[in-house]
Amino acid sequence: MGVTVAGGVLAFDAGNSKTDVALVSADGTVLGTARAGGFEPQIVGADAAIAGLEPLVRAAAAEAGLTLGDVPLVQQISACLANADLPIEEERLAAVLESYGWAESVYVTNDTFALLRSGVDEPRGVAVVCGAGINCSGLLPDGRTARFRALGKLTGDWGGGPQLAEEAFWSAARAEDGRGPSTALSTALPAHFGLPTLSAVIEAFHFGDLPAERQLEAGPLLFEVAAAGDTVALGVVQQQAEEIVAMAVSALRRLDLLTEPVTVVLGGGVLTAGHAVLVDRVVRLLAEVAPKAVPKVVDVPPVVGAALLGLDHTGASPAAQARLRAAFAPSPAA
């Protein structure tokens, strides 16, 4: 028989690029953690995606001095999972998690809720994630939520790192051949890739001389060019800021929080990369529509939010939640 962490939580924050697991006791003590690559049930299927989590659970349990046995390891699983965008997807993933018997109760939701809960002291607020894609969620203490399907352009979404990189190339190409206004991206991109012209860069990607994944490097370059004052690049950044705020405002309105003091948590690789040219615009635009909203860029990993949601479900004390946060608090600057 295995050993149960009585009242404990097994938390998952599974994103497109990485997956974090934390095993937490009822008093908020972090007993074990593990990390691996991205979580992609939409590609490999729910069964294979959840099977890929088992080594992480074993690793976290081993760090805690435990083994997986015949009884539930914890009281509550709190799984905040990327690509769990529709209720049917949450149901399928929850059913597979339940089949492993790791917990007495299983809660599955989208990974944006982990970001949200990581940035607030109570389950109340709105979060926007802008990283590989863009998504938003809102939550109230009574359990009401606001969320988006977040399936890309099919569901009205715009933005995130890959699209920003595409926009950089799109704008530069149109400037080069005269279809669009002049932009410094036309020279910044070839300089970045060490080639003489934008045409040479495009041909290198087309023929595979440059690997396709390197196109993502155009995203950070877009922000550099925008920060230097390029009008075209600034226009793309402005559109991204407007999309982030549009999602936040929609969620605030749906939860009747638009005129209330409330935290708007900002996360994801694009928003946490330190691009002031983007974040400053988000802050300004948000203040115009929701003047009492307080934007906050998170400084703890979202797995903290997943674990806090789990502790919410088990009725853990404020002291337990504080202990959990303290375990993941960023180290003071030297």
Side-chain angles (χ1 to χ4, degrees):
M1 298 289 285
V3 179
T4 300
V5 181
V9 171
L10 182 60
F12 299 89
D13 171 54
N16 287 293
S17 60
K18 63 176 176 59
T19 299
D20 281 322
V21 173
L23 179 61
V24 180
S25 69
D27 70 354
T29 301
V30 179
L31 303 175
T33 61
R35 171 174 285 189
F39 183 78
E40 299 177 317
Q42 80 284 10
I43 295 175
V44 302
D47 290 324
I50 298 299
L53 299 178
E54 185 171 18
L56 298 181
V57 176
R58 290 188 178 277
E63 185 178 330
L66 305 172
T67 57
L68 301 185
D70 298 327
V71 297
L73 182 66
V74 293
Q75 176 182 345
Q76 181 71 50
I77 279 179
S78 177
C80 298
L81 309 176
N83 304 301
D85 297 307
L86 304 175
I88 185 62
E89 292 171 322
E90 291 180 345
E91 292 169 10
R92 289 171 178 168
L93 291 163
V96 180
L97 276 170
E98 288 168 357
S99 72
Y100 281 80
W102 292 329
E104 298 170 12
S105 178
V106 173
Y107 170 69
V108 172
T109 191
N110 186 265
D111 60 334
T112 54
F113 286 94
L115 170 66
L116 170 55
R117 190 63 178 88
S118 70
V120 294
D121 293 326
E122 61 174 342
R124 178 182 183 273
V126 165
V128 182
V129 59
C130 187
I134 187 169
N135 201 354
C136 176
S137 64
L139 180 63
L140 291 177
D142 63 9
R144 282 185 292 158
T145 63
R147 56 190 302 173
F148 298 81
R149 288 166 290 185
L151 301 177
K153 286 192 174 181
L154 182 65
T155 51
D157 311 321
W158 190 96
Q163 182 157 4
L164 290 171
E166 287 183 358
E167 294 294 326
F169 277 105
W170 186 88
S171 299
R174 291 174 68 87
E176 184 183 55
D177 64 22
R179 286 177 293 170
S182 175
T183 171
L185 289 165
S186 298
T187 53
L189 283 165
H192 174 79
F193 290 104
L195 292 171
T197 64
L198 181 65
S199 294
V201 175
I202 292 170
E203 289 179 8
F205 279 119
H206 179 67
F207 290 112
D209 298 322
L210 285 173
E213 58 267 22
R214 289 201 62 192
Q215 292 179 29
L216 292 174
E217 296 171 21
L221 189 65
L222 172 76
F223 288 108
E224 292 179 19
V225 173
D230 182 80
T231 302
V232 170
L234 281 170
V236 178
V237 173
Q238 179 71 16
Q239 183 172 355
Q240 182 66 92
E242 290 171 354
E243 289 292 325
I244 290 167
V245 172
M247 287 191 117
V249 168
S250 174
L252 290 168
R253 183 179 293 113
R254 286 151 61 184
L255 293 174
D256 297 320
L257 292 173
L258 195 57
T259 60
E260 300 291 326
V262 62
T263 300
V264 175
V265 182
L266 304 175
V270 173
L271 277 166
T272 61
H275 302 305
V277 68
L278 172 65
V279 175
D280 289 351
R281 279 169 167 73
V282 170
V283 171
R284 184 177 69 251
L285 290 171
L286 186 62
E288 292 174 0
V289 187
K292 293 185 179 180
V294 179
K296 177 182 181 181
V297 179
V298 291
D299 58 359
V300 296
V303 72
V304 173
L308 286 168
L309 285 170
L311 291 176
D312 291 340
H313 278 81
T314 62
S317 68
Q321 299 191 14
R323 184 174 292 109
L324 171 64
R325 281 193 179 277
F328 287 94
S331 302

